């Protein structure tokens, strides 16, 4: 296999990233066998995605290969610490962070990577966490008059999220996280996700790369990104993001027709063009502003940037040197 990286080094000598076209990246799969079949893929398709086996083979398998190399090296590092101290330390999970805009496909990417990493010959235990569980409940957002800022830094209980990640990284065996439901558009009361000492934890959320300057209202100065071993920013043009957001809104709305508990139930009776106008207005007045103010500025903190084109196909990959 011959990969021509000279052009990239020459053109981007001042960039902290190595740049790959999709074709160059696909070659880095290095004959890793296809570890998911059509049945697995079906489970990964989330709400409406048209994720193809070709996309998995060309983009996500090379990525899983890279992550496995990093994880193996991290395990060797832990062995060195054990050898040096003469004591066996607790298992410390390797944390992969996935950041990016609302509706860019973070949770789909996270679920896909979970399946691929589990299927690797080492059969590592891989858990998922989504940071929306640490949003303040709607009642709190309403009382603070920031319901229109859901997803903005001030809408999260960042202290609890950081404590959660810190506990995981300290080797605590059982850690509980609150749950958010897109269906009820709120935190689910008295329900938790339990994480029990996995080998790998994938944390997905628009805030995983945010740090001190994004939280001037907070007193503490430790952030999720301090505990993340490898971070991925999923990137796309704003026009695509808006379309994907509206598509997802319409899918939620369809699913909500029969479910009176759904937040989207009230939109179910509206004609489709009115529902589209509402989704479009929410995008413009909340998510687009959050993207520009608080999410996009974190992109260059990522270890890897996956740039999507239309139809969610990855077109370009940047890997931190
Ligand atoms: N790789 C993909 N291929 C096709 N559709 C996708 C892909 N990733 C996400 N989607 C679709 O885009 C929308 C947003 O994806 P989601 O994973 O919910 O985003 P996020 O977690 O970033 O908000 C969903 O409708 C999902 O089905
Ligand atoms: C709960 C969220 C902040 C989480 O983002 P996501 O999981 O979609 O990336 C977002 O879906 C959201 O509800 N934003 C507020 C405006 C809205 O879309 O209703």
């Amino acid at each position: 296999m011959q990969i021509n990286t000279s052009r990239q080094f020459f053109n981007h000598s001042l960039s902290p990233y190595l740049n790959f076209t999709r074709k160059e990246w696909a070659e880095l799969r290095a004959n890793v066998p296809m570890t998911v079949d059509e049945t697995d893929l079906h489970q990964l398709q989330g709400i409406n995605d048209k994720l193809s086996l070709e996309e998995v083979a060309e983009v996500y398998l090379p990525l899983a290969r890279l992550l496995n190399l990093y994880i193996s090296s991290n395990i060797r590092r832990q062995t060195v610490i054990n050898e040096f101290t003469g004591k066996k330390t607790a298992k410390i999970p390797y944390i992969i962070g996935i950041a990016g805009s609302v509706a860019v496909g973070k949770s789909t990417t996270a679920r896909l990577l979970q399946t691929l990493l589990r299927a690797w010959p080492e059969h590592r235990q891989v858990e998922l966490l989504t940071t929306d569980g640490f949003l303040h409940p709607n009642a709190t957002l309403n009382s603070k008059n920031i319901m229109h800022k859901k997803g903005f830094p001030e809408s999260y209980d960042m202290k609890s999220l950081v404590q959660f990640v810190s506990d995981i990284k300290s080797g605590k065996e059982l850690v509980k996280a609150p749950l958010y439901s897109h269906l009820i558009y709120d935190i689910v009361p008295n329900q938790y996700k339990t994480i029990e000492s996995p080998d790998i934890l994938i944390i997905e959320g628009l805030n995983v790369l945010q740090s001190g300057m994004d939280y001037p209202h907070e007193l503490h100065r430790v952030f999720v990104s301090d505990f993340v071993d490898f971070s991925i920013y999923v990137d796309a043009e704003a026009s695509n993001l808006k379309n994907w957001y509206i598509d997802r809104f319409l899918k939620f709305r369809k699913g909500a027709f029969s479910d009176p508990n759904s937040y989207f139930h009230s939109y179910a009776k509206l004609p489709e063009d009115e529902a589209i106008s509402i989704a479009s207005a929410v995008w413009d007045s909340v998510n687009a502003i959050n993207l520009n103010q608080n999410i996009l500025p974190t992109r260059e903190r990522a270890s890897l940037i996956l740039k999507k084109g239309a139809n969610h196909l990855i077109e370009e990959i940047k890997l931190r040197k």
Side-chain angles (χ1 to χ4, degrees):
M1 180 185 53
Q2 177 125 51
I3 296 156
N4 178 13
T5 48
S6 55
R7 172 179 56 82
Q8 299 141 15
F9 279 116
F10 186 72
N11 287 343
H12 300 276
S13 56
L14 291 178
S15 161
Y17 288 101
L18 293 172
N19 293 266
F20 299 88
T21 61
R22 182 187 170 100
K23 193 169 171 294
E24 289 165 336
W25 182 258
E27 288 175 45
L28 301 174
R29 177 178 161 193
N31 297 326
V32 169
M34 192 63 179
T35 45
V36 281
D37 58 22
E38 291 282 354
T39 323
D40 294 324
L41 192 64
H42 203 69
Q43 288 172 5
L44 293 165
Q45 290 184 324
I47 299 155
N48 80 338
D49 50 349
K50 296 166 183 73
L51 191 60
S52 69
L53 275 178
E54 189 187 22
E55 184 75 357
V56 174
E58 294 190 1
V59 177
Y60 297 98
L61 272 179
L63 176 55
R65 177 177 167 242
L66 173 70
L67 288 169
N68 265 291
L69 290 172
Y70 274 119
I71 294 159
S72 300
S73 137
N74 187 267
I75 290 170
R76 284 197 295 275
R77 182 187 154 275
Q78 281 189 28
T79 313
V80 169
I81 296 178
N82 288 346
E83 201 178 320
F84 177 62
T85 59
K87 289 186 190 137
K88 197 163 169 12
T89 49
K91 179 167 87 178
I92 308 293
Y94 187 86
I95 300 192
I96 299 169
I98 303 183
S101 165
V102 171
V104 72
K106 298 180 297 301
S107 56
T108 308
T109 306
R111 280 181 283 153
L112 177 50
L113 284 179
Q114 179 185 37
T115 305
L116 292 176
L117 292 171
R118 272 181 178 161
W120 222 257
E122 287 86 353
H123 290 296
R124 293 187 172 122
Q125 205 192 326
V126 192
E127 285 289 351
L128 283 188
L129 177 89
T130 154
T131 66
D132 52 19
F134 290 89
L135 280 164
H136 289 297
N138 288 352
T140 311
L141 297 178
N142 277 322
S143 70
K144 292 182 166 184
N145 206 16
I146 53 168
M147 191 61 181
H148 59 293
K149 294 224 162 165
K150 194 181 265 196
F152 283 60
E154 57 269 43
S155 66
Y156 289 95
D157 177 359
M158 200 31 106
K159 201 164 175 239
S160 299
L161 174 56
V162 170
Q163 186 60 53
F164 174 93
V165 193
S166 166
D167 285 347
I168 294 269
K169 262 306 190 199
S170 312
K172 195 167 170 185
E173 280 178 16
L174 205 140
V175 192
K176 271 177 24 173
L179 277 180
Y180 182 80
S181 158
H182 280 275
L183 185 80
I184 61 166
Y185 200 69
D186 202 352
I187 296 294
V188 189
N190 306 318
Q191 274 193 38
Y192 297 89
K193 168 155 185 149
T194 307
I195 308 274
E196 282 180 69
S197 190
D199 300 304
I200 304 166
L201 177 66
I202 303 176
I203 302 184
E204 165 267 298
L206 38 86
N207 54 3
V208 298
L209 286 166
Q210 290 173 347
S211 68
M213 57 191 156
D214 304 298
Y215 288 80
H217 55 290
E218 303 266 347
L219 289 177
H220 54 95
R221 285 286 172 264
V222 184
F223 292 88
V224 178
S225 52
D226 295 326
F227 301 96
V228 170
D229 295 288
F230 189 91
S231 53
I232 300 170
Y233 185 97
V234 188
D235 194 21
E237 294 301 330
S239 55
N240 288 330
L241 291 168
K242 183 169 177 176
N243 287 336
W244 299 339
Y245 177 77
I246 294 173
D247 284 352
R248 188 176 66 176
F249 187 95
L250 294 178
K251 292 271 155 54
F252 280 148
R253 176 179 166 269
K254 242 185 215 150
F257 268 107
S258 55
D259 190 340
N261 294 320
S262 168
Y263 170 79
F264 292 85
H265 196 63
S266 53
Y267 300 122
K269 294 185 196 81
L270 291 179
E272 182 160 295
D273 57 343
E274 275 182 48
I276 292 175
S277 307
I278 290 170
S280 171
V282 175
W283 175 266
D284 292 340
S285 61
V286 185
N287 297 319
I289 296 174
N290 195 19
L291 173 63
N292 291 323
Q293 283 181 358
N294 304 305
I295 307 169
L296 201 49
T298 69
R299 182 177 59 193
E300 273 72 27
R301 295 181 189 152
S303 321
L304 184 93
I305 303 172
L306 293 175
K307 177 75 192 272
K308 285 182 170 184
N311 301 324
H312 289 273
L313 298 182
I314 305 285
E315 293 181 339
E316 228 183 290
I317 297 103
K318 287 171 181 265
L319 172 65
R320 190 171 278 286
K321 289 175 189 167

